[in-house]
């Protein structure tokens, strides 16, 4: 399968996941809003959605990446590392997702408190403040925020899983792997990410040099969504790494 066709298929798959979890995250935000109005705090619906997203995507892409390296196909899957990968996913979720969800929830609380304060300052009744909060949280800003969260977290889950699978495949087979940066497109694309999508294969252990002309920051990224990178190279990024056998 040529690189262009492969990129198209991967883009469709990841886009479908982004759309599905954008809807689920927006639903969670609205659920938290209603819970806040009733109790003054958030429920755990965001944690449940984020945990599900990482478990589903990581399970899929761990297996998919392995088979791509093994057989150059997108459809077959393997059970080879299933138990090991399940433990790895659970360890990752326990070590990383609590703080991530806390940060998302903290931003939600701040927005809800600001809307509450605006209503109180305007002399609104409790019922009017509740209506104000619902209108704010059911509007376009929440749709955009849900889309941003879904795109960012989906991108991280996909790239971490593909990298783990490639590491395991290389360790198991002893064969060297290269990688390619794939830019999937965006409404407001990062030109410096687009320039990395040049079809050039580099060794897996060599970083991509990612220079942000807007900030002057330069990151050495092992893959898109590398956790060591600056926020400007990670947030709302839809790029994906492609691992290939080195010739």
């Amino acid at each position: 399968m040529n690189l262009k066709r492969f990129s198209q298929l991967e883009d469709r798959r990841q886009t479908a996941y982004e759309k599905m979890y954008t809807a689920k995250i927006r639903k969670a935000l609205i659920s938290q809003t209603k819970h806040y109005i009733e109790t003054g705090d958030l429920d755990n619906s965001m944690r449940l959605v984020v945990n599900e997203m990482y478990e589903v995507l990581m399970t899929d892409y761990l297996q998919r990446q392995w088979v791509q390296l093994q057989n150059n196909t997108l459809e077959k899957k393997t059970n080879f590392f299933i138990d090991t990968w399940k433990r790895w996913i659970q360890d990752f979720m326990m070590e990383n997702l609590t703080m991530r969800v806390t940060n998302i929830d903290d931003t939600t609380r701040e927005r809800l408190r600001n809307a509450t304060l605006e209503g109180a300052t305007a002399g609104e009744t409790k019922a009017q403040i509740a209506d104000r909060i619902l209108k704010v949280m059911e509007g376009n800003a929440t749709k955009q925020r849900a889309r941003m969260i879904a795109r960012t977290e989906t991108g991280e889950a996909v790239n971490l899983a593909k990298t783990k699978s490639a590491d395991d495949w290389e360790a198991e087979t002893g064969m060297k792997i290269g990688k390619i940066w794939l830019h999937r497109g965006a409404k407001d694309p990062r030109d410096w990410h687009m320039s990395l999508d040049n079809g050039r294969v580099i060794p897996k252990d060599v970083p991509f040099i990612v220079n942000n002309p807007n900030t002057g920051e330069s990151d050495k990224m092992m893959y898109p969504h590398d956790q060591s990178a600056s926020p400007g190279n990670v947030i709302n990024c839809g790029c994906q790494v492609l691992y290939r056998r080195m010739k």
Side-chain angles (χ1 to χ4, degrees):
M1 184 180 299
N2 64 45
L3 181 59
K4 182 177 180 180
R5 176 60 176 159
F6 183 92
S7 298
Q8 290 172 341
L9 290 173
E10 288 295 89
D11 177 54
R12 289 174 189 169
R13 180 172 292 105
Q14 192 166 336
T15 297
Y17 275 127
E18 289 173 354
K19 288 181 178 178
M20 178 172 71
Y21 282 104
T22 292
K24 290 191 175 189
I25 289 169
R26 181 172 180 266
K27 185 177 179 180
L29 289 169
I30 293 173
S31 172
Q32 289 183 316
T33 299
K34 292 177 180 178
H35 196 267
Y36 177 87
I37 291 171
E38 293 176 0
T39 70
D41 204 357
L42 309 181
D43 62 22
N44 68 347
S45 53
M46 184 60 69
R47 178 179 62 81
L48 296 175
V49 171
V50 172
N51 282 0
E52 175 199 304
M53 177 172 60
Y54 272 84
E55 186 167 9
V56 169
L57 268 71
M58 283 181 158
T59 299
D60 186 15
Y61 279 88
L62 280 161
Q63 296 179 68
R64 194 174 296 282
Q65 179 62 77
W66 180 278
V67 176
Q68 288 168 13
L69 288 167
Q70 191 76 16
N71 300 324
N72 297 318
T73 175
L74 287 173
E75 301 307 324
K76 296 179 182 178
K77 293 188 176 182
T78 180
N79 295 323
F80 193 85
F81 275 107
I82 293 298
D83 290 338
T84 301
W85 286 338
K86 282 182 178 178
R87 289 193 296 271
W88 178 79
I89 292 171
Q90 291 303 315
D91 288 345
F92 173 84
M93 290 168 61
M94 289 179 62
E95 293 171 6
N96 295 274
L97 294 192
T98 297
M99 182 57 67
R100 192 154 307 177
V101 173
T102 297
N103 290 337
I104 294 171
D105 284 350
D106 285 347
T107 300
T108 302
R109 284 190 187 90
E110 183 179 2
R111 295 188 178 194
L112 291 168
R113 287 167 182 164
N114 287 341
T116 301
L117 180 60
E118 289 173 2
T121 302
E124 295 175 351
T125 66
K126 186 175 180 180
Q128 289 173 326
I129 292 173
D131 287 341
R132 171 192 286 270
I133 292 172
L134 280 173
K135 286 179 181 178
V136 168
M137 297 303 289
E138 290 179 346
N140 288 331
T142 294
K143 290 181 182 178
Q144 293 170 2
R145 184 174 177 231
R147 190 178 302 116
M148 182 272 291
I149 294 170
R151 188 172 175 86
T152 301
E153 302 303 332
T154 295
E156 176 143 352
V158 167
N159 284 288
L160 281 171
K162 294 184 77 172
T163 299
K164 168 64 175 172
S165 185
D167 288 344
D168 288 346
W169 192 88
E170 187 176 55
E172 180 68 20
T173 64
M175 297 179 67
K176 293 299 181 183
I177 297 176
K179 60 189 177 185
I180 300 172
W181 185 292
L182 299 179
H183 183 272
R184 295 178 44 247
K187 187 175 181 180
D188 297 306
R190 296 169 172 89
D191 294 341
W192 60 101
H193 284 197
M194 292 177 63
S195 67
L196 293 168
D197 188 355
N198 51 28
R200 188 179 308 144
V201 181
I202 66 173
K204 184 170 70 67
D205 58 354
V206 173
F208 296 101
I209 307 302
V210 187
N211 298 312
N212 185 339
N214 297 327
T215 64
E217 292 178 307
S218 180
D219 289 326
K220 293 182 179 180
M221 300 177 65
M222 299 307 294
Y223 47 84
H225 284 268
D226 188 328
Q227 293 174 311
S228 68
S230 56
N233 277 321
V234 174
I235 294 174
N236 213 28
C237 172
C239 296
Q240 188 181 131
V241 66
L242 165 62
Y243 291 103
R244 284 190 161 184
R245 303 183 200 181
M246 294 289 283
K247 295 181 179 179

